[in-house]
Amino acid sequence: NLIGKIMKSFFLTFSKTFGIMLALLVILAVFLLFSNLIGRYVDTAYNNLEFVEGDKNSNNLVILLDLEGPILSNSSQKISFFDSQIIFANDIEKIFFKLKEEINLKGIIISINSPGGTVSASNKFYESIIAFQETTKIPIYIHTDELLASGGVWAAVGAKKIYASYGALIGNIGVKGPSWFYYNEPISIKQNFLDKDVATKEGIEFYQTFAGRSKDIFNEFREPTQEEIDSIQNMLESIYEKFLIIVSKNRKIEKKYIRNDLGALIYDSDSAKKKGLIDEVYNFNKSKEKILSELNISNDYKMLSLKNNQNIISQNLPYLFSKYEDNYYKKLNLRICNMSKMQISLLSNYYSNNC
C-alpha cells in the first residue's frame, strides 16, 4: 500500500508537472509564431536599415536596394521580397512611399538583376520610379551586374541613369504571348503518375462544356482559330507599342530604331551602351563613385541598405516555418512557370527556372 501511495503520488506530481510544461510549450509556440509573423510580415518592406559605408553622422543619405529575380506584382503569402529571389512591385511602391519621409535623402541606388516579369508588375515598378522622382526630385540610379532584360528594362528606363558591369546582358525589348500546343490526331496518352497508358482504336475524343466563343482557348485538343491568334497578337502589339514608347521616351532613342534595329535581341554591356540602352559600363563601385560625385556628396554621405528582417526568433529557430516556406516557394515557382507559359509576359527567354 505504501509503495502504491508513493507511485500514485509520483504519477500525480509528474502529470501535473508535465501538464504545466506542455502548457508553457504551447504558449511559447504561439508566442514564437506571432513574433515571427509580426517580425517578417508587418511592413518588412522598409523597417530595417543597415549601415553600409560613409560617415554615420552625415546628413546626406543614400539608400541602396538589392533586387534580384522575376518581377511580380505581389506575394500571395505576404512574404517580403527580401526573403526570396523575386521582386515584388507592390513592395517597391511601399518602400518609395516610406522613403519620401526621409528629409536627408539625396539619392537611391538600385542594384538589380532581373529577366523581366509580368506586364502589370514591370509597369508598376516603372511608374513607381517615375512617380517618386517627380514628387521628391530625388534621383534614382540603376546598376546591373548580370542581367537586365525585358520587363527589367521596362522598369529600369524610368531611372535617371543606368549602369552595367562589363559582361552584363541588357535588352530583350519585346512581349511574349502564352504558349499553345495541341495534340494533332492523338492515339495515345501516357501519364507520369503510375505510368498509366491510355489508347483506343478510334483515337482519343475530348469533350468540355463551356459558354462563350473561345472560352476553351488553349484547349490542347484543337487548333487555335485565326480569330484567336489575331486577338492575342493584337494584345501583344498593343503592349509592345507601349514598351517602345516608354523606352524611346526615357532613353531618347527613336522608336523606329528600337523596333527595326534593336528588336528583342539581348546585348552585352558595351553594345548596350553604343545602342543607348545604358549610360556607362562600370562595375558597382565605379558606378557608386560616379553617382556620389554627381550628387556632390563624395566626401560626406552615409549609405544605408534595406536588409532582411531577421528577428531573434527567426535567427535562432531557422527551421520553425521550413515546411510552410517550402510549400510557399513551390507555389511561387509554379506561379512563375504559369506566367512564362500561359500569360502575356515580359519574361526573357534567357531566364531559366525549374518548370
Side-chain angles (χ1 to χ4, degrees):
N1 289 337
L2 180 61
I3 295 175
K5 289 181 180 180
I6 292 174
M7 293 298 294
K8 183 178 181 180
S9 177
F10 170 77
F11 282 114
L12 183 62
T13 303
F14 175 79
S15 61
K16 287 182 179 180
T17 304
F18 180 77
I20 294 172
M21 292 178 64
L22 182 61
L24 290 174
L25 287 173
V26 170
I27 293 172
L28 178 62
V30 172
F31 172 75
L32 295 178
L33 174 63
F34 281 99
S35 295
N36 194 74
L37 289 175
I38 292 172
R40 292 167 68 89
Y41 310 138
V42 177
D43 201 19
T44 56
Y46 179 73
N47 279 341
N48 284 339
L49 289 173
E50 182 177 44
F51 179 77
V52 178
E53 63 177 48
D55 181 359
K56 290 184 178 181
N57 298 317
S58 175
N59 289 323
N60 297 319
L61 174 63
V62 177
I63 293 293
L64 172 63
L65 294 179
D66 281 308
L67 307 178
E68 185 162 348
I71 305 169
L72 302 180
S73 291
N74 55 60
S75 167
S76 60
Q77 301 295 326
K78 304 302 180 186
I79 291 183
S80 168
F81 67 81
F82 291 107
D83 288 323
S84 66
Q85 297 297 300
I86 305 293
I87 301 170
F88 294 121
N90 282 3
D91 280 350
I92 299 295
E93 187 177 47
K94 291 177 184 177
I95 290 171
F96 288 162
F97 180 79
K98 286 286 188 179
L99 287 176
K100 289 179 181 179
E101 302 171 2
E102 293 288 348
I103 59 175
N104 294 323
L105 183 62
K106 304 302 180 184
I108 298 174
I109 302 175
I110 299 178
S111 177
I112 180 173
N113 291 299
S114 176
T118 65
V119 175
S120 58
S122 301
N123 187 62
K124 188 166 191 175
F125 192 174
Y126 163 77
E127 290 182 341
S128 296
I129 291 175
I130 293 294
F132 179 85
Q133 293 180 120
E134 289 180 348
T135 302
T136 64
K137 309 304 178 186
I138 296 172
I140 294 176
Y141 301 88
I142 296 286
H143 180 271
T144 182
D145 275 320
E146 297 176 349
L147 179 64
L148 190 64
S150 202
V153 174
W154 185 313
V157 295
K160 183 175 181 180
K161 287 187 177 179
I162 302 175
Y163 300 97
S165 294
Y166 176 76
L169 300 177
I170 301 98
N172 198 223
I173 302 172
V175 187
K176 184 169 64 176
S179 301
W180 185 350
F181 66 91
Y182 81 101
Y183 303 113
N184 190 359
E185 298 183 1
I187 61 171
S188 175
I189 293 180
K190 181 177 181 179
Q191 299 177 350
N192 290 327
F193 183 66
L194 297 181
D195 291 329
K196 183 179 180 180
D197 289 312
V198 178
T200 66
K201 292 182 180 180
E202 302 298 328
I204 295 172
E205 295 184 7
F206 177 82
Y207 296 93
Q208 182 181 50
T209 56
F210 60 90
R213 189 171 75 254
S214 294
K215 180 63 178 177
D216 67 333
I217 195 169
F218 305 123
N219 183 343
E220 297 173 348
F221 289 90
R222 71 168 178 84
E223 291 185 74
T225 66
Q226 190 60 48
E227 179 187 20
E228 291 166 337
I229 293 175
D230 291 342
S231 177
I232 294 173
Q233 188 61 43
N234 288 338
M235 285 191 290
L236 295 177
E237 291 295 339
S238 176
I239 296 169
Y240 181 54
E241 180 67 18
K242 181 171 183 177
F243 199 169
L244 294 177
I245 291 172
I246 285 175
V247 175
S248 175
K249 175 184 176 181
N250 290 277
R251 296 303 304 173
K252 305 296 186 294
I253 307 173
E254 287 293 330
K255 190 170 68 172
K256 183 178 179 181
Y257 176 77
I258 301 172
R259 181 187 289 273
N260 297 333
D261 293 88
L262 294 184
L265 296 175
I266 202 159
Y267 301 95
D268 66 273
S269 52
D270 286 335
S271 298
K273 181 186 175 183
K274 292 176 182 177
K275 296 179 184 299
L277 292 176
I278 64 173
D279 294 284
E280 294 291 347
V281 180
Y282 293 149
N283 62 30
F284 178 77
N285 287 332
K286 181 69 172 180
S287 301
K288 178 186 63 181
E289 291 175 7
K290 290 292 183 180
I291 292 168
L292 294 174
S293 177
E294 184 174 306
L295 296 174
N296 296 314
I297 57 172
S298 296
N299 299 316
D300 181 19
Y301 72 95
K302 64 178 175 183
M303 183 177 292
L304 304 180
S305 68
L306 287 170
K307 64 177 181 177
N308 191 355
N309 188 11
Q310 293 286 333
N311 57 31
I312 190 172
I313 306 302
S314 54
Q315 287 175 354
N316 293 296
L317 296 175
Y319 302 107
L320 182 62
F321 300 99
S322 60
K323 290 184 178 180
Y324 169 78
E325 292 195 5
D326 285 345
N327 184 53
Y328 167 74
Y329 289 120
K330 288 179 181 178
K331 289 182 178 179
L332 192 59
N333 187 66
L334 178 61
R335 184 176 170 187
I336 295 171
C337 290
N338 289 337
M339 176 189 72
S340 63
K341 292 178 180 178
M342 298 302 296
Q343 291 187 23
I344 294 176
S345 70
L346 302 170
L347 191 66
S348 170
N349 284 330
Y350 294 85
Y351 171 70
S352 61
N353 52 31
N354 296 321
C355 299

